[in-house]
Amino acid sequence: MKVLVTGAAGFIGSAVTEQLASEGHAVVAVDALLGGLYPSAEKVARRQRLESNPSVDFHQLDLREADLSTLPSSITHVIHEAAMPGLGLSWNDFALYESCNLSATARLIEAAAEWPLERFIQISTSSVYGKTAAGDETLALAPASPYGVTKLAAENLALAHWRDSAFPASVLRYFSVYGPGQRPDMAYRKFIAKALAGEKITLFGTGEQTRSNTYVDDCVAATISALTRSSPGEIYNISGHEERSISEALGIIEAEVGRPLLIERQPAARGDQIRTAGDSSKAQENLGFTHTVTLESGLARQVEWQRSLGDR
Ligand SMILES: NC(=O)c1ccc[n+]([C@@H]2O[C@H](COP(=O)([O-])OP(=O)(O)OC[C@H]3O[C@@H](n4cnc5c(N)ncnc54)[C@H](O)[C@@H]3O)[C@@H](O)[C@H]2O)c1
């Protein structure tokens, strides 16, 4: 198995790459180290870590424009994590989201036609379901942000290639991934940084919105398992099993940090999901996906990690 991981300097892609390497796989890693959503310094640090790993062949390139024929022609499996995530920015810069999430995917699929490809794992999101993402993969698709629209288009593109020419694409829809390494623009990372610094936390919406958070190690294990256990043409929800409100998560963070949180309330953010409660029975049955931690222990690990960073 020769695996290409795109978005390998990102939060989840770097964890997937390191886990694959630790399992003895040769990994081709690609990332453009884009800024914009969050400063690229964290990506640069992750690239350095990956470059020092003898099992990882890192290529800094932009999937939107680079010559992809420079990648090794022996790639058998692809985990396509690269994308522009984040709902908020997607309202302001559609071209960035369209190009990174859809056009880049089209170019990658085209390049993959030259490889002895066995599986192409297209990483998608609960945002394809829209404001409410409660249920299994048969839920209605109603994205409520440009981000969700471009990610839905990308999964449809990969599946169109499967229907047309048996391109071996499977889709994983991740639900709110958290834990050590989480992106600085994501809510829990921001809440914890502010809590540790004793600064005011901005809470968008009532706090009653819920999330079925997925712990990063569980997400990584499911993604790697999909390389060999997913069926082409199939879609799998990768979601935590506890539906917890943002207020509950804040309570856990408060207990973990050990001091009262200062919270400033703002109206709900544009496109924000009201409820996510993904049913991952299919991934549990077919990929062996499991949930290894409670939100309490997962957030405790994230607080510990952010303390070690001196995050604020
Ligand atoms: N983090 C979550 O909770 C979550 C939830 C649902 C889905 N996802 C999906 O998981 C994947 C990874 O997300 P993440 O949270 O690790 O985000 P991230 O921003 O940390 O990682 C994405 C990486 O892709 C790279 N990238 C973007 N466009 C590129 C391009 N044109 N060429 C090369 N590299 C490019 C970025 O530089 C970045 O390092 C994304 O596909 C995202 O849509 C994430």
Side-chain angles (χ1 to χ4, degrees), residues 62-127:
D62 193 323
L63 294 168
R64 294 172 293 180
E65 59 195 21
D67 176 4
L68 301 182
S69 69
T70 60
L71 294 172
S73 58
S74 53
I75 291 164
T76 56
H77 294 75
V78 175
I79 299 176
H80 183 33
E81 298 273 357
M84 214 48 198
L87 303 187
L89 185 62
S90 77
W91 293 103
N92 304 331
D93 194 346
F94 184 74
L96 179 66
Y97 282 73
E98 185 286 317
S99 61
C100 286
N101 298 356
L102 185 56
S103 299
T105 302
R107 292 188 87 241
L108 183 62
I109 291 172
E110 206 174 295
E114 304 301 319
W115 305 332
L117 201 67
E118 292 175 31
R119 201 67 88 250
F120 185 99
I121 310 298
Q122 174 64 31
I123 301 303
S124 192
T125 166
S126 67
S127 294

Side-chain angles (χ1 to χ4, degrees), residues 42 182-184 186-193 305-306 311:
E42 290 196 15
Q182 197 187 40
R183 299 196 321 260
M186 293 184 73
Y188 296 165
R189 174 83 183 266
K190 290 201 274 196
F191 293 164
I192 294 169
W305 172 71
Q306 289 191 229
D311 211 356

